[in-house]
Amino acid sequence: MNFDVILIRYGELTTKGKNRTDFTNLLVNNVKKKLHQFKEDFLIKKEFDRLFIELLNPSSSSAIVAILQKIFGFSSMSLAKKVSRQPIDMAEQAIAFINYYQPQTFKLEVRRNDKTYQVTSTELKQMLAPMILKNTTVKVDVHHPEMQIDIEVRKYFSYVFINRITALGGLPVGISGKGLVMLSGGIDSPVAAFLTMKRGMSVEYLHFATPPHTSEEALAKVKTLVQKLTPYANNQTQRLHVVNFSMLQHELMHIPEPSYRITIMRRMFYRIANILARQYHCQAIITGESLGQVASQTIESINTINAVSNLSVLRPVICFDKNEIIKIAKDIDTYETSILPFEDCCSLFVPKNPITKPKLAVAEEQEKDLMWEDILNVIIEKSIVTYTIGSDGENYEKS
């Protein structure tokens, strides 16, 4: 059956006060961007508590719904038929649904959005039910119906629908500023990027490579992760900044206490991330750190590493256990890519006995005689490549 309109429910956005318009306007813009290829097939109408996507080409509805399911900012949607506000037209559409799908039982729910409508929701429901039962063989089951038919009466039209498709919820991407995601290629950081976008923050990605110790396959894996995350973003493409960390990594091999190697390395990561974040107008750094998961993610390590960052560091999965993170990774289709056996520079650099409770003063002492500042400046000037990656997998390299 073809449908006339997709009815979108705002969910969390309905709790916003005077700035609700900012949220809903951004949601509309994000929807238009994501549905650009179907721009001739729909019109958007925004109301106080609903967004309506009128389908000019009903045959594209399935493809449009698939895209909408990856857009943050609304709680659910329904494919609906738009009819007049006359009870007979509502009943006829409900009957058409029953005749087409042929359920044995049904339940009717009516919501009168326009309070000036001449009858209440309950009264309208009592009018419609007998019309439906008289013209079909279906029976009522209010507890476990095969089909639930919903009717919303609004100011100019009524909408009749039988489905409620769960959406991602959250806030429209872009309403919360922009962050720089430190994307390792593992399971956790793509999930952190996804959760950050869910709270309305747009993202760019930063990855550290150490060729020839890390392979082209490892870089391709990270590009694929960005590709899989792009449908959730507010733009058609995303930027991935790849830092050649080899020179600085070799310098860090000279620190006096090898157990501090990962701690110092991550402090360098944060220093570079802060510089790039300012360059690309990012207001926070995002990581996939989960408290206590590895040596560099104890609270003592986090504090020692965090000391070099002037920007806030957001850790969306900080209190998630591994199984919870894996579940989300599977849901967003990054898990199988993340577990591909290509080493990143962190795993290659781990000492035999990494310290779990580093002290800030000791970390600073380890860095004192290194030439890290000069090398870091060279890296920023000459050792960063930026890729623009779309959900179609194409990427355009620029230095």
Side-chain angles (χ1 to χ4, degrees), residues 253-272:
M253 296 299 289
H254 301 302
I255 65 173
E257 178 49 66
S259 65
Y260 270 76
R261 195 180 296 155
I262 281 288
T263 302
I264 304 305
M265 183 187 72
R266 292 195 66 81
R267 281 164 62 87
M268 298 301 168
F269 284 177
Y270 276 38
R271 287 179 169 118
I272 293 171

Side-chain angles (χ1 to χ4, degrees), residues 61-303:
S61 62
S62 295
I64 288 175
V65 166
I67 294 172
L68 292 173
Q69 284 183 290
K70 292 187 175 181
I71 296 178
F72 292 111
F74 57 95
S75 61
S76 67
M77 57 186 153
S78 295
L79 286 158
K81 284 290 213 177
K82 182 169 72 172
V83 301
S84 78
R85 292 166 23 123
Q86 296 299 317
I88 185 63
D89 291 332
M90 302 177 206
E92 285 181 355
Q93 183 55 60
I95 292 166
F97 278 143
I98 291 170
N99 289 337
Y100 185 85
Y101 294 104
Q102 298 191 339
Q104 298 298 308
T105 59
F106 88 110
K107 177 183 178 181
L108 181 64
E109 291 291 347
V110 177
R111 178 174 180 261
R112 184 187 62 159
N113 175 268
D114 179 12
K115 302 307 179 185
T116 66
Y117 190 69
Q118 62 266 31
V119 296
T120 67
S121 298
T122 301
E123 291 169 341
L124 182 57
K125 187 175 178 180
Q126 291 170 344
M127 292 170 60
L128 294 174
M131 297 184 198
I132 296 169
L133 292 170
K134 183 178 179 181
N135 291 279
T136 64
T137 58
V138 73
K139 295 181 180 179
V140 174
D141 184 343
V142 297
H143 299 294
H144 304 289
E146 271 186 58
M147 174 185 287
Q148 178 170 311
I149 300 174
D150 288 87
I151 298 175
E152 283 197 12
V153 182
R154 304 189 76 87
K155 189 172 182 180
Y156 299 109
F157 297 98
S158 295
Y159 297 88
V160 187
F161 54 93
I162 58 172
N163 53 24
R164 188 177 290 253
I165 303 165
T166 301
L168 290 174
L171 302 177
V173 176
I175 200 69
S176 302
K178 184 165 70 167
L180 183 64
V181 177
M182 294 172 64
L183 191 65
S184 67
I187 298 170
D188 304 339
S189 53
V191 172
F194 171 82
L195 294 174
T196 299
M197 288 188 280
K198 185 172 185 177
R199 297 314 304 160
M201 182 170 275
S202 60
V203 300
E204 300 204 12
Y205 298 93
L206 172 61
H207 176 70
F208 293 92
T210 54
H213 307 295
T214 53
S215 64
E216 283 297 316
E217 290 86 355
L219 178 56
K221 168 182 167 179
V222 172
K223 290 180 182 179
T224 300
L225 289 171
V226 175
Q227 176 191 343
K228 288 179 176 293
L229 290 164
T230 298
Y232 302 102
N234 57 338
N235 294 311
Q236 300 290 2
T237 58
Q238 295 281 269
R239 287 194 296 197
L240 168 66
H241 310 284
V242 179
V243 175
N244 186 332
F245 196 72
S246 298
M247 193 187 313
L248 193 49
Q249 187 178 61
H250 290 152
E251 179 67 10
L252 298 186
M253 296 299 289
H254 301 302
I255 65 173
E257 178 49 66
S259 65
Y260 270 76
R261 195 180 296 155
I262 281 288
T263 302
I264 304 305
M265 183 187 72
R266 292 195 66 81
R267 281 164 62 87
M268 298 301 168
F269 284 177
Y270 276 38
R271 287 179 169 118
I272 293 171
N274 270 258
I275 293 169
L276 289 182
R278 288 193 295 270
Q279 182 177 337
Y280 291 102
H281 309 291
C282 298
Q283 297 143 298
I285 294 167
I286 297 103
T287 78
E289 291 166 314
S290 174
L291 189 62
Q293 188 174 148
V294 294
S296 65
Q297 295 174 18
T298 64
I299 192 60
E300 292 86 357
S301 290
I302 288 172
N303 286 337

Side-chain angles (χ1 to χ4, degrees), residues 293-319:
Q293 188 174 148
V294 294
S296 65
Q297 295 174 18
T298 64
I299 192 60
E300 292 86 357
S301 290
I302 288 172
N303 286 337
T304 300
I305 295 165
N306 223 54
V308 303
S309 180
N310 295 319
L311 291 175
S312 297
V313 180
L314 307 183
R315 300 175 172 88
V317 300
I318 191 71
C319 294

